[in-house]
Amino acid sequence: MDIPRIFNITESEHRIHNPFTPDKFATLGDALRLKPGARVLDLGSGSGEMLCTWARDHGIVGTGVDMSPLFTAQAKRRAEELGVAHRVEFIHGDAAGYVSDEKADVAACVGATWIGGGVAGTIELLARSLSAGGVTLIGEPYWRQLPPTEEIAKGCLANSISDFLGLPALIASFGDLGYDVVEMVLANQDGWDRYEAAKWLTMRRWLEANPDDELAEEVRSKLSSEPERHAAYTREYLGWGVFALMPRLHL
Ligand code: SAH
């Protein structure tokens, strides 16, 4: 079981597979006021940077589930490297429908909400693993500027403008689902560069090492077009953030 190979190639050197930088995950960990021993579940945990650094900095315990064997292996290595392998566990598997045995204080899906069939379904899925009073984390794109045309939305690799909302509308949508937004940390354009531009050097080196690979042409073409596409579209139009949610408290 694996994700499409192209992601394992272009993101093989990423520690964080989204526009967050290490300082953003640190800010989020502080913002959540994590207590030692708090349990964190992470669906689509990638290379495990969030759980591993929070285990190091806040003493959390955690479980991550990810469909990429490569990223899962990197997450386990990272846990060893940071000396937190006894606190965090990384499971290779499909997180769709994954419900933990032990209830979590924080249940997260950071940049992989297709796992639950979209934001609403992922919030419902995470709720099944969450303790009373627990916090749900959703990492999701939004339009930093609304694209004036569908062509521009496609330039951001969206299918259409309707794929994403503007930031106020995204926040309102969590309310419509019955949640209070209790914290948020947003990525910025420099963070987008770290996520996107890091792929370019990886692709360049991979091409040199794998000129005869069946994906070589696809990677060659991406390396030619991606820097300009990123600068014209994603960097300008797309925002990204992690939103902390709790079931709406009605008075
Ligand atoms: N949350 C991580 C990774 C985000 S990228 C981070 O912030 O770095 C999206 C991740 O979802 C990738 O690691 C990919 O392997 C994983 N993924 C995609 N589909 C999945 C599925 N069905 N179940 C589990 N993980 C999945």
Side-chain angles (χ1 to χ4, degrees), residues 211-225:
D212 300 323
D213 191 281
E214 58 178 14
L215 290 187
E217 260 178 59
E218 181 181 344
V219 172
R220 176 58 262 175
S221 139
K222 270 191 198 295
L223 178 57
S224 303
S225 58

Side-chain angles (χ1 to χ4, degrees), residues 3 15-18 25 42 44-47 65-68 71 93-96 110-112 114-115:
I3 57 172
R15 241 178 217 158
I16 299 173
H17 304 265
N18 70 52
F25 270 132
D42 189 11
S45 44
S47 300
V65 183
D66 200 280
M67 203 149 99
S68 163
F71 298 168
D94 189 348
V110 176
W114 56 85
I115 284 174

